[in-house]
Amino acid sequence: MKEREARWYGGSTPGSRPAAAPVGARLLWSDPAVWVCGDWEPEHIQTVEFGDAKIAVLGPCSVSEHDLARALSCPDLATVAGEWAGSHTVVRAQGDGRVEVLADAAGACPLYTVNVPGGVVWGSSSLALSPLAGGGVDTEWLAAFLRDKHAPTAGRCAWAEVKPVPAGHLLTLHTAGRASLSSWWKPVKRTLGDASAALRHALGEGVRVRVEGGSVTTDLAGMDSTTLALLAAQCGPITGVTLHPERATHGGDLDYARALTVPGLHRTYFPLSARHLPFTPTEVPLPATDEPAPSTPVWSMFSHQLRVMAAAGSVSHLTGDGGDSLFLLAPTHLASLARHGRWLRMLGDAMDWARLRRQSPLPLISAAVRGNTAHIGRAVLLSPPWLKVPAVPALSDHGPASADADAVFLSSFRIVARSAHAEIQLADSLSIALHNPYFDGAVLDAALSAPHEQRFSARRYKPMLADTFADLLPEAHRKRAAKGLFVGDFHEGLRVNLGRVLGLADGRLAALGIVNPVPLQAAIHAAALGARTIWPPLLSALAAEAWLEAVETTSATKWERPMSASAGVR
């Protein structure tokens, strides 16, 4: 299968002289320069021009022509564009020389900037922008990623001198080469009923704009993906794909998938065999991405699934990723309950959570009383023994431990949403447009607007999602508690591929002086023997090594006017 050119978009400071532009890009506008790269669905690039004013929406979006016309002339772009469903970036050029770039609230459409002589270049791929900044990996960011991928270094990305635009912010570019950032989004509060109605609209519209008019597949497994499949089936024929062990004929996801008999939904099954074990080599090289992708250790399985779907005619695939992050919350609200003196509710919820996790409630209660919101229900990971470089303080280390529960949730959610973009880049290389509707900004806005304690329950699985779509989900699916775990597959994958994985432990990360291969190889040996393993830091190290290899063997984006980087956007 022929790999396709990576899809991304970007632009540069207006006026003065032509700025850098990637070779082969398709210009939407020349001044200010805005371009797209790769093959895009026509409906996912919408532009309108009227006189000197121009607006573009890049990505799946529910916007109508009337909405675009309103946004073109309204004083505050975010008041109109911030309500649109889908996952997209909005760019508006004004007659006064300003260019506004609206970053989505969830962070699922990451944006980055590089300062170059004469102005700023922005884009949706840090990898593509990196040649303008010298093409160097930010080793301090990488060290923080290896320590805890869910607590990265603040204001940095995987590439040195490439600066991330914070989610929910407006990037404004001026003709003088200046750039500024301002926050445009903040959580609103709704009653549970209103929040549920907003969630139903946002998720339904987010699915609709992705599935109408194309051949689409979707995951069909747990409650999250099943909800998407049922919403998609209302818009036209859809094929649900269920993964299962090769020898399994019933049980788990198979039984739940077979129980769904609704018009427009077809089912297919993807048997998993030894060739799909984690860490297994594949004939499809791992593509280079903005940062190490979560699916890197299971690329053999993921790439095969994508190729099978593409061969069957699918051009887009919906996943349930993000559902756990959105609806399966840690009990951070315990600190808020303690702060407001609601002791009985706090103690009851702490006991329920501890019983569910088969652990003592005392650490939860102690953290809640101290107001240590950030660490409630989340294991404190020590720096792995193979990490040689002291990591720069992580994002969560800068704020007070008593941060608001919603602020802690929002920070964590955006980190996961950003990393999921690398998954989209993996799928894109094999001609499948991967979509994660649960990471849409409007979906986040709706879910976060409900009272935190009403989104949480240790007695019910994902109550907000189950209640919002109670008329759509069959009773058995609403009452399903969880999905299966695949830890055993990782142990077996290491045993089968031990020699190859040990080689990864003494490679580029070791050459950079970031890891000590001896303790890393010891941890790999122990995991291969079935020892209890703390998987996140181990998988991060192996994914980062494979990512560095992919980056090293992939041609960098070529630019029409190579420029060196300077200081970041302030």
Side-chain angles (χ1 to χ4, degrees):
M1 177 183 296
K2 182 181 178 181
E3 294 187 11
R4 72 177 178 186
E5 182 186 357
R7 293 187 307 160
W8 66 285
Y9 46 81
S12 62
T13 304
S16 64
R17 61 192 183 92
V23 172
R26 174 162 65 96
L27 278 176
L28 299 181
W29 309 326
S30 57
D31 186 21
V34 175
W35 60 76
V36 296
C37 296
D39 295 328
W40 286 82
E41 296 89 340
E43 59 272 20
H44 292 171
I45 298 178
Q46 303 180 67
T47 61
V48 169
E49 299 184 30
F50 186 79
D52 293 332
K54 309 170 185 178
I55 191 168
V57 180
L58 308 172
C61 182
S62 64
V63 63
S64 66
E65 291 185 5
H66 175 69
D67 293 331
L68 278 176
R70 284 180 58 212
L72 189 64
S73 59
C74 69
D76 182 7
L77 176 61
T79 58
V80 176
E83 300 176 353
W84 300 339
S87 190
H88 47 265
T89 298
V90 182
V91 186
R92 184 173 73 170
Q94 301 279 53
D96 59 5
R98 286 182 301 132
V99 176
E100 298 168 302
V101 186
L102 199 71
D104 75 303
C109 299
L111 295 177
Y112 305 90
T113 64
V114 173
N115 279 40
V116 297
V120 172
V121 177
W122 65 271
S124 62
S125 170
S126 58
L127 172 66
L129 292 179
S130 64
L132 294 175
V137 172
D138 187 329
T139 54
E140 291 185 345
W141 182 94
L142 193 56
F145 174 87
L146 294 179
R147 183 188 68 171
D148 183 357
K149 70 176 184 178
H150 294 297
T153 303
R156 311 265 284 268
C157 77
W159 298 96
E161 299 302 325
V162 179
K163 305 299 182 185
V165 175
H169 278 65
L170 178 72
L171 170 67
T172 303
L173 306 173
H174 307 270
T175 53
R178 294 185 300 105
S180 59
L181 291 168
S182 59
S183 176
W184 70 265
W185 180 86
K186 63 180 181 179
V188 299
K189 290 300 178 185
R190 300 182 177 98
T191 65
L192 183 60
D194 288 344
S196 182
L199 172 62
R200 178 134 191 167
H201 174 78
L203 193 59
E205 282 293 285
V207 169
R208 180 187 64 80
V209 299
R210 289 170 165 100
V211 304
E212 287 187 338
S215 178
V216 182
T217 54
T218 179
D219 290 346
L220 189 56
M223 184 189 294
D224 306 321
S225 57
T226 298
T227 302
L228 297 183
L230 294 173
L231 287 170
Q234 295 180 335
C235 304
I238 189 87
T239 299
V241 182
T242 301
L243 279 61
H244 65 92
E246 188 175 37
R247 295 182 178 85
T249 58
H250 64 277
D253 293 340
L254 282 173
D255 290 348
Y256 283 93
R258 289 170 180 153
L260 287 174
T261 54
V262 296
L265 176 63
H266 307 284
R267 298 181 297 271
T268 190
Y269 305 96
F270 187 84
L272 299 174
S273 64
R275 65 182 292 195
H276 302 122
L277 284 172
F279 317 112
T280 298
T282 176
E283 64 273 19
V284 180
L286 180 74
T289 52
D290 287 350
E291 62 183 75
S295 287
T296 300
V298 294
W299 177 236
S300 57
M301 179 274 292
F302 190 35
S303 62
H304 188 202
Q305 180 190 359
L306 293 170
R307 286 181 291 151
V308 168
M309 293 189 304
S314 176
V315 296
S316 298
H317 183 75
L318 306 184
T319 86
D321 290 356
D324 285 351
S325 299
L326 202 59
F327 301 113
L328 200 59
L329 306 179
T332 51
H333 72 291
L334 295 177
S336 177
L337 292 174
R339 188 163 57 248
H340 292 93
R342 299 176 61 185
W343 301 109
L344 290 179
R345 171 69 190 271
M346 186 273 287
L347 291 172
D349 282 1
M351 294 290 289
D352 287 343
W353 177 267
R355 192 178 301 111
L356 179 68
R357 298 293 179 179
R358 299 180 181 180
Q359 65 185 43
S360 169
L362 294 180
L364 291 173
I365 295 171
S366 175
V369 171
R370 296 196 313 271
N372 195 348
T373 309
H375 294 121
I376 292 179
R378 182 176 184 269
V380 178
L381 297 177
L382 299 177
S383 182
W386 52 81
L387 186 61
K388 294 175 65 175
V389 178
V392 174
L395 187 64
S396 60
D397 295 338
H398 290 284
S402 59
D404 175 75
D406 283 344
V408 172
F409 160 78
L410 182 60
S411 174
S412 174
F413 183 85
R414 284 172 166 170
I415 291 167
V416 179
R418 187 211 66 236
S419 68
H421 186 71
E423 301 283 278
I424 293 174
Q425 292 175 316
L426 290 181
D428 205 47
S429 71
L430 295 178
S431 301
I432 293 288
L434 196 71
H435 297 286
N436 306 308
Y438 287 108
F439 286 127
D440 288 358
V443 173
L444 168 67
D445 181 85
L448 192 59
S449 68
H452 186 97
E453 60 269 22
Q454 294 182 7
R455 305 197 312 267
F456 164 85
S457 176
R459 300 177 181 179
R460 293 183 60 205
Y461 185 68
K462 300 182 179 179
M464 187 175 185
L465 182 65
D467 291 346
T468 297
F469 296 98
D471 61 322
L472 195 64
L473 287 165
E475 183 179 9
H477 292 75
R478 295 198 309 272
K479 292 184 177 180
R480 188 180 182 187
K483 291 177 58 181
L485 299 175
F486 297 92
V487 172
D489 291 343
F490 283 89
H491 286 292
E492 185 178 356
L494 277 183
R495 284 195 296 273
V496 173
N497 300 286
L498 183 58
R500 174 176 178 267
V501 178
L502 287 174
L504 291 175
D506 193 4
R508 292 161 180 82
L509 288 171
L512 288 171
I514 298 177
V515 304
N516 183 341
V518 175
L520 181 54
Q521 288 175 333
I524 293 169
H525 270 293
L529 292 172
R532 184 176 180 181
T533 302
I534 301 176
W535 284 104
L538 180 57
L539 293 179
S540 292
L542 297 176
E545 181 65 35
W547 172 74
L548 286 172
E549 180 182 6
V551 167
E552 185 179 289
T553 56
T554 300
S555 298
T557 299
K558 293 183 173 58
W559 292 80
E560 299 284 359
R561 288 175 172 269
M563 297 180 181
S564 60
S566 61
V569 173
R570 290 186 293 273

